[in-house]
Amino acid sequence: MEIQSKTTPISKNGKMKTWFSRLPESKQNLVMGYLFISPFIVGFLAFIIVPMGISLFMSFHDYDLLTEAKFVGLANFKTIFTNDPKFMQSLLVTLKYVVIAVPLRLIVALAVAMLINRPSKLSGVYRVLFYIPSILGGSVAVSIMWRNLFGDSGLINGLLTAVGIDPVYFFKSPGLALTTLILLAAWQFGSSMLIFLSGLKNIPKDYYEAAEIDGAGKIRQFFKITIPVLTPIIFFNLVYQTIMAFLTFTPAYIISNGTGSPRNGTLVYSLYMYQRAFTDFKMGYASALAWILLVVVGLITVVFFATSKFWVFKENEEV
């Protein structure tokens, strides 16, 4: 026992001290913190950082999954910018989708959040019902449902025919086909709605009471109190939804059967990357496209943060 006490110290209660118990309390908290976040760190490294590194490496190579990768330097990037009309077309389609779909989704989300924010016994039920589309919106099943809904003989055209209006062939026009994707994006407003709802509940009622005393109506209160106080929430939703809109893939793939038809009207950027990677087997080329998208999204995010100081309300500012 005497020998054991020299190698492994024993505490006052007779239990042996481990290396962890011999650490200072601050070090113990640090170790426990890293232990709890280790699953995230491992997942982040294994599924984000390492794949990004491989993608960057492959962007400088010509690789078709079947033969050995061949180093080509900046050739993939040169071809993209000088000899690939589909690159610019897919980027423009995606930008059009983002510019229309993101604001529309946020407007719908805020409107529904304000309705649900009113006192009601069924408010919890409403939250669940409105949030369900956001959970299911990215699934293959919902995309198929949406394609059937707007199909030539779908429910929408059935209703139009019933009231004497000629059917609209949504998937034969590039603009109308993209419109169906935008409407699907607007329908998936649940996550943004919940975030807006939490922001609405945190607005002090004193603001509205003071505004009513001063004679401000509901519309003036909305633009002078609700919107300014919600600008941090709007900013968060705007940045997040913009990034997610640039990455949209499943609806465009299902609705166009993976082709981006009609006339590449639904050829969003992620779908074009998929085509080059898994249809043409140009993995290096697709990796270069992915890194260009990363730069584009990064620049747009930087612009959002740089301009936020002009319109995002801070807590120490007056409404």
Side-chain angles (χ1 to χ4, degrees):
M1 186 64 186
E2 183 180 355
I3 297 175
Q4 186 179 19
S5 64
K6 293 180 180 179
T7 57
T8 305
I10 300 177
S11 60
K12 294 181 180 180
N13 58 10
K15 294 183 179 180
M16 292 185 295
K17 289 185 177 180
T18 62
W19 65 270
F20 180 77
S21 61
R22 292 198 298 269
L23 292 174
E25 185 176 355
S26 60
K27 296 292 184 181
Q28 291 182 10
N29 295 333
L30 183 64
V31 171
M32 291 300 297
Y34 279 115
L35 181 63
F36 279 114
I37 66 173
S38 59
F40 168 78
I41 295 176
V42 172
F44 181 74
L45 293 175
F47 299 109
I48 296 181
I49 298 300
V50 173
M52 286 182 64
I54 296 174
S55 174
L56 181 61
F57 174 79
M58 295 309 304
S59 67
F60 300 107
H61 290 75
D62 182 11
Y63 182 50
D64 60 2
L65 290 177
L66 302 176
T67 59
E68 185 177 355
K70 178 182 178 182
F71 180 77
V72 294
L74 297 175
N76 288 328
F77 294 94
K78 182 179 179 181
T79 302
I80 290 172
F81 288 109
T82 61
N83 194 28
D84 188 356
K86 277 192 173 183
F87 158 71
M88 186 55 65
Q89 185 175 9
S90 64
L91 185 59
L92 291 176
V93 169
T94 305
L95 287 173
K96 183 178 180 181
Y97 171 82
V98 171
V99 169
I100 300 176
V102 172
L104 182 60
R105 177 186 290 184
L106 296 185
I107 291 172
V108 174
L110 179 57
V112 175
M114 294 187 67
L115 290 175
I116 297 179
N117 191 43
R118 296 180 178 180
S120 173
K121 295 181 179 179
L122 298 177
S123 59
V125 177
Y126 294 148
R127 294 175 199 173
V128 174
L129 292 177
F130 285 124
Y131 185 63
I132 288 177
S134 293
I135 301 175
L136 303 177
S139 67
V140 174
V142 170
S143 298
I144 293 175
M145 178 202 72
W146 209 257
R147 184 181 64 185
N148 294 333
L149 188 66
F150 288 91
D152 295 348
S153 58
L155 178 62
I156 301 298
N157 278 325
L159 294 175
L160 292 176
T161 304
V163 296
I165 301 176
D166 293 335
V168 178
Y169 301 105
F170 292 95
F171 301 131
K172 294 182 180 179
S173 169
L176 292 178
L178 184 61
T179 300
T180 62
L181 295 181
I182 293 172
L183 291 176
L184 177 56
W187 183 61
Q188 303 166 21
F189 61 82
S191 58
S192 299
M193 179 267 296
L194 290 180
I195 297 174
F196 277 133
L197 184 60
S198 64
L200 289 170
K201 291 186 176 298
N202 288 325
I203 298 178
K205 294 182 179 180
D206 297 344
Y207 291 172
Y208 295 105
E209 293 174 355
E212 288 180 357
I213 293 174
D214 291 338
K218 295 296 182 182
I219 296 178
R220 187 173 179 82
Q221 291 178 27
F222 175 75
F223 287 103
K224 294 297 183 178
I225 298 177
T226 305
I227 292 297
V229 177
L230 280 183
T231 48
I233 306 296
I234 295 173
F235 175 73
F236 172 80
N237 276 331
L238 178 63
V239 173
Y240 178 74
Q241 295 299 336
T242 299
I243 294 173
M244 297 307 296
F246 269 102
L247 300 179
T248 187
F249 170 76
T250 302
Y253 179 85
I254 297 298
I255 288 176
S256 68
N257 293 318
T259 63
S261 60
R263 298 194 298 276
N264 297 324
T266 57
L267 186 65
V268 294
Y269 199 92
S270 296
L271 179 57
Y272 181 53
M273 281 195 298
Y274 174 87
Q275 290 179 350
R276 298 314 302 263
F278 298 104
T279 301
D280 302 332
F281 294 103
K282 296 290 186 180
M283 300 301 296
Y285 197 89
S287 297
L289 287 170
W291 277 92
I292 292 173
L293 178 62
L294 176 64
V295 172
V296 171
V297 174
L299 290 175
I300 292 175
T301 305
V302 168
V303 172
F304 283 157
F305 275 92
T307 57
S308 64
K309 61 183 179 181
F310 298 108
W311 61 277
V312 176
F313 171 75
K314 301 296 190 301
E315 290 185 2
N316 56 353
E317 297 176 350
E318 294 184 359
V319 181

